[in-house]
Amino acid sequence: MRMKKVIVFFTLILASSISLCAWEHSAGLEIGSPYFSINAKGDGVKKVTQPQLTARYFGKASNGFCVSATLSPGLAFSKDFTLQGESATAKGFGMELTMGAGYAFDITDRFALAALGSMSLDWTRFKYKKNIYAGTSYGAITAEWTQNDNALFVGLGAELLASFKLTEHISIVGSFAMRFLDGGKLWKKGSAMGKNYDSSFDLRGNFSVAPSLGARWTF
């Protein structure tokens, strides 16, 4: 219910601003390395670093109201998403989608700041395997232990955007976002010694921080 109210609130503000103001639009690419910590109830805290490339749309109305939307694919690294008994860093893939709305401030003719409330939808996937060596009455055998972990979770928080104009159309941009992870799900599916298993865990609490740096084109 709380998430529905947030979505309705952002939608109403956006609709009223679009109808009343002139807009400036921009798009760009940023490089960042978000860090997040999620609490899987029954499976412990999971910490992930996720270097990613972000494609961002940014719109600014003449009254200062602004909106932002990003899509960010990237790699994922974690010592917590591993097979039992393993300590190596697991490597995976992640995708983040964010939407935000707020207000932009022109500090000078070239330098501007924007503060936005934002929400995110994150998906992270790890896939790994190792060989299991076991002794039997017929001698030693080798079998595979494979596992797929998929985490999907929602975040609510704030983002600060800074931009500096190099030319009329080109700007350098930097951002920092912090979000509280409001909820989600972790699914584990694997096979060990020919036996399949499948389980899921609720994700609750904890946070993410996401700095990034890049450039954008205003049109």
Side-chain angles (χ1 to χ4, degrees):
M1 181 62 68
R2 179 172 60 179
M3 185 61 65
K4 289 182 179 178
K5 291 181 179 179
V6 171
I7 294 173
V8 171
F9 174 73
F10 278 125
T11 301
L12 290 175
I13 292 179
L14 179 59
S16 62
S17 296
I18 289 175
S19 63
L20 297 175
C21 300
W23 280 79
E24 178 183 87
H25 305 279
S26 62
L29 294 175
E30 301 166 27
I31 297 175
S33 186
Y35 167 86
F36 58 84
S37 172
I38 50 179
N39 185 11
K41 297 181 67 174
D43 199 46
V45 174
K46 312 292 185 183
K47 300 175 182 178
V48 179
T49 300
Q50 190 167 291
Q52 61 190 27
L53 179 66
T54 296
R56 181 189 297 270
Y57 163 78
F58 182 79
K60 177 185 172 184
S62 56
N63 65 355
F65 178 78
C66 62
V67 294
S68 173
T70 69
L71 182 64
S72 307
L75 302 175
F77 302 91
S78 175
K79 287 185 175 293
D80 299 313
F81 280 95
T82 57
L83 292 171
Q84 185 177 356
E86 295 291 291
S87 59
T89 299
K91 302 176 181 65
F93 176 79
M95 181 73 73
E96 181 183 67
L97 173 67
T98 75
M99 297 182 67
Y103 194 83
F105 306 84
D106 290 325
I107 307 301
T108 69
D109 291 342
R110 291 180 177 270
F111 181 62
L113 290 175
L116 305 95
S118 64
M119 58 187 297
S120 65
L121 179 64
D122 291 83
W123 167 67
T124 301
R125 180 176 187 266
F126 289 94
K127 181 179 181 180
Y128 30 80
K129 68 179 180 179
K130 76 172 187 176
N131 291 328
I132 303 172
Y133 300 94
T136 70
S137 58
Y138 302 101
I141 62 171
T142 301
E144 280 190 347
W145 183 3
T146 62
Q147 184 171 299
N148 294 326
D149 288 357
N150 285 274
L152 184 67
F153 49 94
V154 174
L156 294 173
E159 183 173 18
L160 183 66
L161 286 169
S163 64
F164 182 81
K165 283 188 176 182
L166 299 177
T167 70
E168 181 182 355
H169 296 288
I170 301 175
S171 301
I172 296 174
V173 297
S175 72
F176 182 82
M178 179 173 286
R179 300 183 183 93
F180 172 75
L181 304 181
D182 194 49
K185 205 80 171 179
L186 169 64
W187 294 272
K188 287 179 175 285
K189 187 175 183 180
S191 176
M193 299 292 291
K195 294 183 179 180
N196 298 325
Y197 59 92
D198 194 347
S199 56
S200 63
F201 305 88
D202 290 330
L203 299 179
R204 287 291 181 270
N206 291 16
F207 65 95
S208 72
V209 291
S212 68
L213 183 66
R216 72 185 182 207
W217 174 269
T218 300
F219 50 93

